[in-house]
């Protein structure tokens, strides 16, 4: 009996190790920025900020492989998965591309209106509430955009933030964005201040979320699981967990992982939390040659 118990314990340890094994992205100077988990395919997706190549990894696989997409986005930042589709924010290009994870081709593209083309724009992250419907943050321009295929291919100005409690400053402002489970609120993080905000999707009222505990300055990508928010803190190389109250007005933050390599995104799967180590702080440096990037796999706590 003792022998059987020992063997069982070793098997469980091996299973746990396999489930928590980091996933590699082997692509020279790819500098992936966004990360999405798809319940539909039980896979993770990321993309290169530098050249837009999209990558996929099945949860049981050891690493990512480039997706043979017919038309890659020019640059891949925030990525969200919804049913069989990927929604990819394209930064200074002012677009959100929609790709089929099944047929691996571009289906649609939402674009900031041309009359805003001369203004500094940085489409950073996406929250999706239905097929081809969602919200987008702009890190340089104080605006939340909305996209809805039924209304055309424009990123419509949904909420001007000038008269709200969100005050844009120099640097990167609004970044990660998620929808609460009941779709009643958007939660966004302002990278340069570390502040979290709740936006009512019906009234568009904006309120600052009062957070105590670990600071969230340089918070980048975020992910939500019920009342728990996860924040990738890029410069500090940390992952924070924020326990929110039921109406998302208050929260307590704590650091649950340190030693990450400039993490820019976090995704929540069925049994694990996935954190993207982008190493973007090394991008653009002379003679930079990084051949491997990784996604850290953590158990759900």
């Amino acid at each position: 009996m003792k022998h059987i118990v020992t063997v069982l314990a070793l098997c469980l340890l091996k299973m746990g190790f396999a489930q928590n094994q980091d996933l590699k992205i082997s692509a020279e100077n790819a500098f992936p920025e966004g990360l999405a988990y798809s319940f539909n395919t039980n896979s993770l997706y990321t993309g290169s900020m530098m050249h837009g190549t999209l990558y996929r990894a099945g949860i049981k696989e050891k690493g990512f492989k480039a997706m043979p997409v017919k038309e890659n986005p020019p640059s891949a930042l925030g990525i969200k998965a919804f049913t069989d589709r990927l929604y990819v924010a394209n930064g200074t290009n002012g677009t959100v591309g929609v790709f089929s994870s099944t047929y691996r081709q571009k289906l649609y593209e939402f674009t900031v209106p041309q009359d805003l083309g001369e203004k500094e724009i940085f489409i950073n992250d996406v929250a999706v509430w239905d097929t081809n419907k969602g919200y987008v943050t702009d890190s340089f321009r104080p605006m939340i955009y909305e996209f809805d295929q039924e209304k055309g291919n424009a990123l419509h100005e949904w909420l001007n933030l000038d008269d709200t409690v969100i005050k844009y400053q120099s640097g990167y402002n609004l970044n990660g964005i998620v929808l609460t489970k009941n779709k009643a609120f958007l939660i966004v993080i302002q990278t340069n201040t570390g502040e979290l905000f709740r936006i009512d999707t019906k009234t568009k009222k904006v309120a600052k979320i009062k957070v105590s505990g670990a600071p969230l300055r340089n918070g980048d990508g975020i992910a939500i699981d019920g009342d728990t928010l996860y924040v990738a803190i890029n410069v500090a190389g940390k992952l924070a967990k924020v326990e929110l109250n039921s109406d998302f007005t208050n929260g307590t933050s704590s650091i649950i992982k340190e030693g990450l390599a400039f993490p820019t995104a976090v995704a929540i799967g069925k049994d694990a939390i996935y954190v993207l180590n982008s190493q973007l702080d090394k991008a653009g440096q002379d003679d930079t040659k990084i051949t491997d990037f990784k996604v850290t796999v953590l158990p759900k706590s």
Side-chain angles (χ1 to χ4, degrees):
M1 177 63 74
K2 183 178 180 181
H3 176 72
I4 295 174
V5 171
T6 302
V7 172
L8 180 60
L10 288 172
C11 289
L12 289 172
L13 283 171
K14 289 180 180 180
M15 289 174 61
F17 176 76
Q19 289 174 353
N20 297 329
Q21 190 172 18
D22 293 342
L23 300 170
K24 284 189 177 182
I25 306 161
S26 296
E28 185 175 325
N29 290 350
F31 295 104
E33 203 278 345
L35 184 68
Y37 172 80
S38 170
F39 282 89
N40 203 53
T41 62
N42 196 27
S43 300
L44 288 164
Y45 298 90
T46 188
S48 169
M49 184 174 177
M50 296 305 172
H51 46 69
T53 303
L54 298 177
Y55 303 90
R56 174 195 171 276
I59 295 305
K60 296 182 179 180
E61 297 172 6
K62 294 182 179 180
F64 287 77
K65 294 180 181 179
M67 288 177 58
V69 178
K70 293 182 180 179
E71 183 183 355
N72 278 301
S75 177
L77 283 90
I79 299 179
K80 294 292 169 62
F82 189 88
T83 60
D84 65 339
R85 300 189 179 190
L86 302 176
Y87 298 79
V88 184
N90 301 149
T92 56
N93 293 281
T95 58
V96 171
V98 184
F99 297 82
S100 168
S101 59
T102 302
Y103 299 105
R104 301 185 178 185
Q105 63 181 345
K106 184 176 179 180
L107 302 175
Y108 209 72
E109 185 174 79
F110 297 97
T111 307
V112 172
Q114 290 183 358
D115 58 353
L116 299 176
E118 295 181 0
K119 296 185 178 181
E120 198 171 24
I121 293 169
F122 195 83
I123 303 302
N124 203 325
D125 202 8
V126 185
V128 183
W129 63 271
D130 201 353
T131 302
N132 286 351
K133 297 179 181 181
Y135 304 93
V136 182
T137 55
D138 189 328
S139 294
F140 294 162
R141 190 166 178 260
M143 184 69 62
I144 300 287
Y145 303 94
E146 177 187 34
F147 60 89
D148 184 342
Q149 187 180 13
E150 295 178 2
K151 299 178 182 179
N153 66 346
L155 288 174
H156 299 282
E157 295 183 348
W158 182 72
L159 176 60
N160 188 317
L161 301 169
D162 282 334
D163 296 324
T164 70
V165 295
I166 301 175
K167 303 301 179 186
Y168 268 43
Q169 305 175 13
S170 61
Y172 291 91
N173 290 277
L174 288 196
N175 195 329
I177 182 171
V178 293
L179 271 163
T180 58
K181 190 174 182 179
N182 58 7
K183 302 177 184 178
F185 302 106
L186 289 166
I187 294 178
V188 294
I189 189 163
Q190 187 169 355
T191 294
N192 47 13
T193 66
E195 295 173 319
L196 291 172
F197 300 92
R198 187 196 77 170
I199 304 174
D200 191 304
T201 55
K202 291 184 178 180
T203 67
K204 300 185 182 181
K205 183 178 179 180
V206 182
K208 181 180 175 180
I209 300 173
K210 298 177 182 178
V211 180
S212 60
L216 303 176
R217 187 177 294 274
N218 296 313
D220 201 315
I222 59 178
I224 194 167
D225 185 16
D227 297 340
T228 302
L229 186 76
Y230 295 91
V231 182
I233 304 176
N234 53 35
V235 174
K238 299 177 180 180
L239 178 68
K241 179 170 72 172
V242 185
E243 297 289 359
L244 298 162
N245 62 355
S246 59
D247 60 358
F248 308 102
T249 57
N250 293 274
T252 303
S253 64
S254 60
I255 302 301
I256 61 171
K257 180 66 176 178
E258 299 190 45
L260 299 167
F262 206 87
T264 54
V266 55
I268 301 170
K270 293 178 181 178
D271 304 306
I273 301 165
Y274 305 93
V275 191
L276 176 65
N277 295 266
S278 76
Q279 302 186 67
L280 273 177
D281 52 329
K282 299 177 182 178
Q285 295 180 6
D286 293 340
D287 300 322
T288 296
K289 186 177 180 180
I290 301 175
T291 57
D292 288 314
F293 300 83
K294 71 176 182 179
V295 170
T296 299
V297 184
L298 303 171
K300 277 188 176 179
S301 56

